[in-house]
């Protein structure tokens, strides 16, 4: 009897925990959409803020949308160029060196955990060292560093599952290791790699702490890499603290836009990864 | 020789998703005998065994029709607590899975669960069952070490001991020697020969020679169907079905 | 040259070279990060001892006094309370998801966890500002007879706890899923109920994993910046209770980048804050990884 009561007690706790999680997500989305959807209109999407982003009542957040896209595409591109070859190298060249491989994975997991504000601070130091100002370029470099470990580990997890036999077959047919890497291993895991890239893109577009010191903020749309760039997360952060309600609305609208972008990415990668883990629920 | 039926499987069909895994199974397993369920890998032997103590409940896609009577009670449709049914049966799996606790508690686990907490009585029973599986001499001075430190063979005997400790009537064994070295395998087999005086043993195996060595009664399965069943002597010396004959000659494995 | 480029061997050599460069870069990245931050913050050590930096409460950048104790305490408070909230929720949720849930529910809860994990920090911050902060100010604080604007340690902790739930939960789910089902089968066959099996066998088996997941969560929470920054109040004081405002380390860095270059050594101080975060997080993660690896062998 006591056993039964104990089980019921703990199962209720489990139920409550689940409900809380579902409830919180619903609450987050609803509260933000409620505030933001009203503010979201064509002007918001198509115009830069007029009269300064902090006090100007007119205009939208085009500067932040474009800035964020530039920055995230740039960083994701760079991280792909560096990260995918690293993951390939690990899974083709180092596949038999288990110890080296484990060590690299260990290191990657460690830097994966480094908070983005640390990358931001480091990025700032790097800028001073290289003599560049707050700019799109500095932001891209910092965000690249931040998403690189994520990208590599995500690709690595995908490539790890590609069978070793395939690799040996290809090598024994006389392909060079590079050809094997890019033509066989990469192609075989292609949609998985895309998922990894999407994941990194999502991280890049959502992070504020790493671009705070490095990309700057501006009302303008950057026309070159050396100009500062506004970003959606910072557009939320800065404009939310403004005393002007119209400016706050821009923050809520930015939040809605950002959430929609993130949800789209999440849906896309779910659809893609279904091919991979048929049994993953 | 008594020939009471302990377990009777009646028109059992089992589906996992859309796959038909067990097809019209009808078998009768005699009491206090060692019954071997024989057949090539993937023929559904293990699934059949798991039905017998309702471990199939753990899987969501599984659908079962038919009945399994144990002592004339249909365990698939009974109102009795599943836990009570499972207590009647000890399970020995392919590889040993010692519980994440020390050697002593592995054996005492089932007893403690059913409310027996008297230290002295527990000590005595733990010693008794460890002796039964010839493990006492090897472990009596380190009962409080984690069970995972034992060798695989020792672990499997420990798993047998913990199963016996809850006083089952039936022992279900799923290829219990397949992960063991020859000496440990032999220990287990010999143990089974002794145990069948008191217990009904159902053992799944795909090793023909093992079946020949120890079976009293044989159920031969192929592709989810029971092809033939009968007393071991008859089954091995005078098989009736063609499939059985070719299996016994080693035509497929 | 063009001929060379199309030569398969050259192509192989070039791309191998690039892979080598890339992987070397990635391997030395943590060291560059550490050394870079150390180098920039080393100027502080000329006048402040390490002990002073870590344990002094005196924060007067204008006279070159940098005691980080207030900020470290702020971080510890927020992180600790956040873990107190999210750890039990995650453990119970993980158990129900892996042990009790039907497939159709899994089809709902997995995307929910994924979405929670993917939401950017600022979005949690916005939610904190429009929901959590007023809720604390209007509902929770009055219950305890406290007066607060809502921007408080508690607000930071609640927002943070929600943010790390998906992170810890995913690790826990993975840990419970890797426990072989045969262990459950063994326990059930010995006459245990499902709940007894969970209590005595599964949870016990998962203890190192549970500890590690909470450790990873702590490390993640410790460095989380924007969401906390937006709701925690940012006042330089040692909080007396959870309704007081606090000032965690990451918030210190993020809030003061503007003045970074206007006060001497201020930039070094902020880099030192980043260094503390970096070291704490790296050490924590390393310890937890080793715990998991050891337990895997076991």
């Amino acid at each position: 009897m006591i056993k039964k009561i104990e089980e019921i007690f703990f199962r209720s706790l489990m139920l409550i925990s689940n409900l809380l999680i579902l409830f919180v997500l619903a609450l987050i989305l609803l509260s933000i959409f409620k505030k933001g959807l009203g503010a979201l209109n064509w002007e918001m999407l198509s115009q830069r803020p007029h009269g300064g982003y902090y006090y100007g009542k007119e205009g939208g957040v085009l500067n932040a949308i474009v800035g964020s896209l530039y920055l995230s595409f740039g960083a994701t591109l760079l991280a792909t160029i560096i990260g995918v070859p690293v993951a390939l190298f690990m899974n083709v060249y180092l596949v038999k060196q288990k110890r080296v491989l484990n060590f690299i994975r260990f290191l990657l997991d460690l830097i994966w955990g480094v908070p983005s504000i640390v990358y931001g601070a480091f990025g700032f130091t790097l800028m001073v060292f290289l003599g560049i100002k707050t700019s799109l370029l500095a932001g891209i470099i910092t965000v690249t560093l931040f998403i690189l470990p994520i990208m590599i580990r995500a690709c690595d997890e995908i490539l790890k599952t590609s069978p070793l036999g395939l690799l040996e077959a290809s090598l024994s047919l006389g392909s060079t290791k590079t050809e094997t890497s890019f033509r066989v291993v990469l192609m075989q895991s292609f949609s998985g790699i895309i998922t990894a890239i999407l994941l990194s893109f999502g991280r890049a577009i959502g992070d504020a702490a790493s671009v705070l010191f490095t990309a700057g903020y501006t009302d303008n749309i950057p026309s070159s890499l050396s100009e500062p760039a506004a970003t959606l997360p910072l557009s939320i952060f800065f404009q939310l603290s403004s005393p002007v309600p119209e400016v706050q609305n821009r923050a809520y609208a930015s939040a809605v836009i950002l959430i929609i972008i993130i949800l789209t990415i999440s849906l896309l990668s779910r659809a893609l990864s279904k091919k991979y883990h048929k049994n993953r629920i | 020789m008594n020939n009471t039926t302990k377990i009777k499987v009646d028109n059992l069909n089992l589906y996992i998703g859309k796959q038909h895994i067990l097809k019209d199974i009808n078998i009768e397993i005699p009491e206090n005998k060692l019954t071997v369920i024989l057949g090539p890998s993937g023929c559904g032997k293990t699934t059949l065994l798991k039905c017998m103590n309702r471990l199939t409940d753990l899987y969501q896609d599984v659908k079962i029709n038919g009945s399994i009577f144990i002592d004339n009670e249909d365990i698939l449709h009974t109102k009795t607590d599943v836990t009570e049914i499972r207590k009647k049966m000890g399970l020995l799996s392919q590889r040993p899975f010692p519980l994440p606790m020390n050697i002593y508690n592995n054996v005492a686990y089932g007893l403690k669960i059913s409310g027996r907490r008297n230290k002295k009585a527990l000590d005595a029973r733990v010693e008794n069952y460890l002796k039964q599986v010839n493990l006492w001499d090897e472990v009596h001075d380190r009962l409080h070490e984690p069970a995972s430190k034992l060798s695989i063979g020792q672990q499997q005997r420990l798993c047998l001991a913990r199963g016996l400790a809850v006083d089952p009537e039936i022992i279900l064994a799923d290829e219990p020697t397949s992960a063991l070295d020859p000496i440990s395998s032999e220990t287990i087999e010999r143990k089974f020969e002794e145990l069948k005086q008191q217990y009904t043993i159902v053992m799944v195996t795909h090793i023909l020679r093992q079946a020949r060595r120890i079976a009293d009664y044989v159920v031969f399965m192929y592709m989810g169907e029971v092809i033939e069943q009968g007393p071991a002597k008859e089954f091995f010396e005078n098989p009736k079905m063609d499939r059985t004959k070719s299996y016994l000659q080693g035509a497929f494995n | 040259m063009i001929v060379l480029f199309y030569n398969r061997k050259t192509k192989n050599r070039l791309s191998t070279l690039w892979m080598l460069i890339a992987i070397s870069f990635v391997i030395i990245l943590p060291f560059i990060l550490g050394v870079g931050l150390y180098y920039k913050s080393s100027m502080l050590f000329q006048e402040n001892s390490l002990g002073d930096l870590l344990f002094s409460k005196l924060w007067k950048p204008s006279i070159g006094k940098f005691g980080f104790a207030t900020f470290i305490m702020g971080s510890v408070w927020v992180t600790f309370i956040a873990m107190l909230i999210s750890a039990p929720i995650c453990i119970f949720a993980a158990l129900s998801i892996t042990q009790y849930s039907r497939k159709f529910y899994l089809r709902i809860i997995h995307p929910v966890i994924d979405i929670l994990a993917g939401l950017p920090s600022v979005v949690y911050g916005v939610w904190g500002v429009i929901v959590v902060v007023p809720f604390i100010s209007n509902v929770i604080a009055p219950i305890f007879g406290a007066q607060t604007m809502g921007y408080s340690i508690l607000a930071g902790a609640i927002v943070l706890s929600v943010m790390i739930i998906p992170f810890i939960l995913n690790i826990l789910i993975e840990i419970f899923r890797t426990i072989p089902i045969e262990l459950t089968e063994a326990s059930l066959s010995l006459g245990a109920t499902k709940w007894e099996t969970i209590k005595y066998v599964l949870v016990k088996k998962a203890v190192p994993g549970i500890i590690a997941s909470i450790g990873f969560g702590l490390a993640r929470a410790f460095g989380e910046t924007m969401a906390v920054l937006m709701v925690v109040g940012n006042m330089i004081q040692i909080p007396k209770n959870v309704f007081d405002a606090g000032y965690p380390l990451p918030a210190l860095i993020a809030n003061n980048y503007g003045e970074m270059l206007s006060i001497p050594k201020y930039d070094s101080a902020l880099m030192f804050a980043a260094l503390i975060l970096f070291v704490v997080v790296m050490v924590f993660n390393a310890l937890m990884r080793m715990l998991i690896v050891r337990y895997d062998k076991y």
Side-chain angles (χ1 to χ4, degrees):
Chain A
M1 194 56 201
I2 292 171
K3 274 186 186 179
K4 208 75 204 150
I5 294 172
E6 184 187 290
E7 176 165 7
I8 291 170
F9 173 71
F10 279 101
R11 287 208 60 183
S12 335
L13 286 181
M14 291 179 196
L15 183 70
I16 293 169
S17 302
N18 276 285
L19 289 178
L20 265 176
I21 292 171
L22 296 172
F23 171 72
V24 161
L25 179 64
L27 188 64
I28 293 173
L29 295 181
L30 285 178
S31 63
I32 294 176
F33 274 73
K34 195 178 146 218
K35 289 247 180 191
L37 275 182
L40 198 60
N41 50 36
W42 183 241
E43 186 194 347
M44 197 57 88
L45 294 172
S46 62
Q47 300 206 5
R48 299 186 288 117
H50 302 308
Y53 68 84
Y54 200 71
Y55 291 114
K57 294 183 180 179
E58 305 290 315
V61 291
L62 182 68
N63 58 333
I65 299 175
V66 176
S68 257
L69 289 178
Y70 280 171
L71 187 102
S72 313
F73 274 116
T76 311
L77 184 70
L78 260 182
T80 309
I81 293 173
I82 304 172
V84 173
V86 170
L88 281 173
F89 190 84
M90 288 166 65
N91 287 285
V92 176
Y93 290 69
L94 296 177
V95 74
K96 292 208 173 114
Q97 261 98 18
K98 281 285 172 242
R99 283 178 156 239
V100 183
L101 207 52
N102 282 338
F103 174 71
I104 295 175
R105 286 190 180 130
F106 179 72
L107 270 187
L108 285 169
D109 286 339
L110 283 190
I111 38 176
W112 181 334
V114 172
S116 66
I117 187 82
V118 173
Y119 283 98
F122 177 77
F124 182 80
T125 314
L126 197 67
M127 279 160 49
V128 175
F129 183 71
L130 297 175
I132 45 178
K133 291 206 176 72
T134 49
S135 59
L136 190 54
L137 179 67
I140 288 177
I141 292 173
T142 311
V143 174
T144 304
L145 293 182
F146 167 58
I147 61 173
L148 193 53
I150 300 172
M151 169 90 78
I152 299 174
R153 274 306 261 134
C155 289
D156 179 40
E157 285 298 319
I158 302 287
L159 294 178
K160 226 163 59 172
T161 58
S162 85
L164 201 63
L166 198 76
L167 203 138
E168 274 159 3
S170 167
L171 285 176
S172 66
L173 287 173
S175 307
T176 63
K177 278 198 170 169
T178 311
E179 284 163 344
T180 307
S181 304
F182 286 98
R183 296 214 185 122
V184 183
V185 180
L186 191 60
M187 282 309 142
Q188 207 232 352
S189 319
F190 195 69
S191 72
I193 300 290
I194 300 289
T195 323
I197 293 173
L198 281 174
L199 176 81
S200 313
F201 183 83
R203 291 277 162 218
I205 205 164
D207 194 67
S210 57
V211 291
L212 195 57
F213 322 126
T214 51
Y217 198 84
T218 167
D219 289 350
N220 300 318
I221 291 165
S223 56
S224 82
L225 280 174
S226 58
E227 285 176 29
T231 44
L232 280 169
L234 289 184
S235 142
I236 300 170
F237 178 59
F238 289 138
Q239 299 185 119
L240 193 66
S241 61
S242 162
V244 185
E246 286 84 352
V247 175
Q248 287 187 6
N249 278 342
R250 284 210 291 268
Y252 296 130
S254 302
V256 171
I257 297 168
L258 191 54
I259 291 177
I260 291 173
I261 294 176
I262 296 287
L263 288 181
T264 314
I265 292 173
S266 170
L267 278 177
L268 264 179
S269 50
R270 265 199 112 65
L272 275 171
S273 66
K274 272 226 174 95
K275 284 187 193 165
Y276 264 84
H277 319 268
K278 276 231 170 74
N279 296 321
R280 202 185 146 222
I281 314 136
Chain B
M1 211 156 122
N2 86 38
N3 255 333
T4 357
T5 299
K6 182 74 178 171
I7 307 173
K8 181 166 183 282
V9 180
D10 195 18
N11 268 323
L12 186 80
N13 278 285
L14 183 143
Y15 306 81
I16 300 179
K18 284 185 181 118
Q19 265 179 301
H20 199 170
I21 304 292
L22 297 178
K23 299 166 192 163
D24 295 322
I25 307 287
N26 286 293
I27 50 179
E28 294 188 5
I29 291 171
E31 186 166 20
N32 292 1
K33 290 271 174 342
L34 199 157
T35 300
V36 162
I37 303 179
L38 185 66
S41 338
C43 68
K45 312 175 294 245
T46 301
T47 313
L48 177 59
L49 198 72
K50 284 185 179 174
C51 283
M52 291 181 187
N53 69 351
R54 298 236 339 226
L55 285 176
T56 39
D57 291 5
L58 288 176
Y59 304 88
Q60 288 182 18
D61 291 345
V62 172
K63 222 172 55 207
I64 306 179
N65 303 320
S67 309
I68 298 178
F69 294 96
I70 293 181
D71 295 331
N72 296 322
E73 183 186 19
D74 183 355
I75 61 148
L76 294 181
H77 300 103
T78 179
K79 289 198 182 84
T80 330
D81 198 352
V82 194
T83 323
E84 291 303 315
I85 300 166
R86 289 194 184 122
K87 273 187 195 164
K88 279 191 180 173
M89 287 170 263
L91 176 79
L92 205 55
S93 53
Q94 290 190 8
R95 286 197 296 127
F97 284 90
L99 302 169
M101 43 192 84
N102 63 32
I103 297 172
Y104 179 94
N105 279 330
N106 258 276
V107 184
Y109 178 79
L111 297 167
K112 283 185 176 173
I113 287 282
S114 45
R116 273 174 271 186
R117 305 213 165 248
N118 181 320
K119 178 89 175 70
K120 275 221 170 98
L122 279 179
D123 285 354
R125 288 182 76 108
V126 168
E127 181 176 343
N128 176 26
Y129 288 109
L130 284 175
K131 277 182 175 157
Q132 270 218 38
V133 297
N134 306 340
L135 200 58
W136 178 254
D137 294 339
E138 293 158 58
V139 302
H140 69 276
D141 51 349
R142 47 175 178 146
L143 288 175
H144 295 281
E145 278 180 27
S148 50
K149 286 197 174 160
L150 298 174
S151 74
I152 297 287
Q154 288 172 325
Q155 285 182 18
Q156 190 66 314
R157 278 181 280 153
L158 181 70
C159 290
L160 181 58
R162 84 179 168 198
L164 295 178
V166 291
D167 284 330
E169 295 161 20
I170 301 164
I171 296 172
L172 304 175
D174 182 8
E175 306 193 15
T177 60
S178 64
L180 305 186
D181 59 284
I183 293 171
S184 305
S185 304
E186 212 195 310
T187 321
I188 296 275
E189 275 184 30
R190 252 187 290 145
K191 209 73 240 168
F192 275 12
E193 300 265 7
E194 285 170 35
L195 290 172
K196 71 180 183 193
Q197 312 299 330
Q198 301 166 45
Y199 303 91
T200 304
I201 303 179
V202 185
M203 184 172 113
V204 158
T205 187
H206 65 270
I207 309 166
L208 196 52
R209 271 182 299 170
Q210 188 175 43
R212 276 187 204 272
R213 275 198 299 271
I214 59 175
D216 297 319
Y217 191 86
V218 181
V219 176
F220 173 58
M221 286 181 70
Y222 183 68
M223 306 274 281
E225 286 175 83
V226 171
I227 305 296
E228 186 169 347
Q229 57 181 313
K233 199 164 186 276
E234 222 170 284
F235 178 87
F236 287 117
E237 283 170 11
N238 199 4
K240 293 181 194 67
M241 311 295 286
D242 289 343
R243 278 242 181 78
T244 319
K245 283 176 198 157
S246 50
Y247 181 77
L248 292 178
Q249 284 154 11
F252 53 92
N253 116 56
Chain C
M1 200 57 208
I2 292 167
V3 180
L4 262 179
F5 188 74
Y6 279 99
N7 180 308
R8 277 176 64 197
K9 278 203 172 135
T10 316
K11 218 164 133 188
N12 187 28
R13 228 174 269 156
L14 275 176
S15 63
T16 307
L17 184 68
W18 175 242
M19 285 179 175
L20 273 172
I21 293 172
I23 200 162
S24 317
F25 172 69
V26 170
I27 290 172
I28 57 171
L29 183 59
F31 303 101
I32 301 179
L33 276 172
V35 171
L37 291 173
Y38 179 79
Y39 172 75
K40 281 303 281 184
S41 51
S42 62
M43 272 171 244
L44 280 189
F45 301 134
Q46 291 164 3
E47 281 163 38
N48 301 273
S49 72
L50 188 61
D52 275 355
L53 287 172
L54 292 177
F55 302 115
S56 159
K57 290 176 201 160
L58 188 62
W59 181 260
K60 285 253 161 62
S62 49
I63 56 165
K65 284 291 168 205
F66 298 99
F68 284 88
T70 321
F71 306 102
I72 295 175
M73 282 311 291
S75 276
V76 170
W77 266 103
V78 174
T79 307
F80 182 71
I81 298 172
M83 291 312 297
L84 228 49
I85 300 172
S86 55
I89 293 179
C90 288
I91 293 172
F92 287 124
L95 280 175
S96 83
I97 288 167
T98 53
Q99 306 303 318
Y100 288 106
S101 295
R102 308 226 129 240
K103 275 204 171 139
F104 104 94
Y105 179 66
L106 296 182
R107 272 192 215 113
I108 300 170
I109 193 73
H110 277 292
V112 165
I113 299 171
D114 277 1
I115 291 170
L116 276 175
L119 285 182
S121 184
V122 271
V123 169
Y124 283 97
V126 174
W127 172 68
V129 170
I130 59 182
V131 178
V132 179
V133 166
F135 184 70
I136 288 174
S137 159
N138 301 332
V139 181
I140 300 185
I143 294 177
F144 293 92
Q147 266 204 333
T148 170
M149 292 281 291
Y151 291 91
S152 56
I153 293 280
L154 184 61
I158 291 176
V159 172
L160 196 51
S161 69
V162 175
M163 288 188 70
I164 52 177
I165 280 176
F167 183 74
I168 301 176
L169 189 51
N170 271 330
I171 303 175
L172 280 176
I173 290 176
E174 188 66 32
I175 282 165
F176 282 117
R177 289 239 162 97
T178 48
I179 297 178
I181 192 150
E182 285 86 348
L183 215 50
T184 308
E185 292 181 349
S187 170
L188 290 179
S189 337
L190 293 171
T193 62
K194 188 146 188 180
W195 170 244
E196 285 166 332
T197 301
I198 290 173
K199 190 166 71 166
Y200 296 123
V201 177
L202 298 185
V203 170
K204 194 153 184 216
K205 179 89 181 166
V207 162
I210 293 174
I211 295 173
S213 73
I214 291 174
F216 288 132
L218 271 174
R220 163 59 62 104
F222 200 70
E224 184 46 58
T225 311
M226 299 311 278
V228 182
L229 167 68
M230 290 163 80
V231 297
V232 81
N234 304 321
M235 303 224 305
I236 306 180
Q237 59 180 23
I238 299 256
K240 285 186 280 301
N241 61 49
V242 294
F243 299 113
D244 275 353
Y247 210 155
L249 276 172
L252 170 75
I253 307 172
N255 255 344
N256 293 289
Y257 74 101
E259 290 99 282
M260 195 127 78
L261 296 175
S262 51
I263 305 172
K265 295 205 177 131
Y266 205 42
D267 58 335
S268 297
L270 296 187
M271 290 309 147
F272 183 70
L275 184 65
I276 298 177
L277 287 178
F278 178 74
V279 171
V280 168
V281 169
M282 291 285 268
V283 168
F284 240 90
N285 280 344
L287 286 178
M288 295 305 137
R289 294 257 158 230
M290 289 195 282
L291 179 72
I292 284 201
V293 170
R294 273 186 80 178
Y295 139 85
D296 268 359
K297 273 185 206 150
Y298 193 50

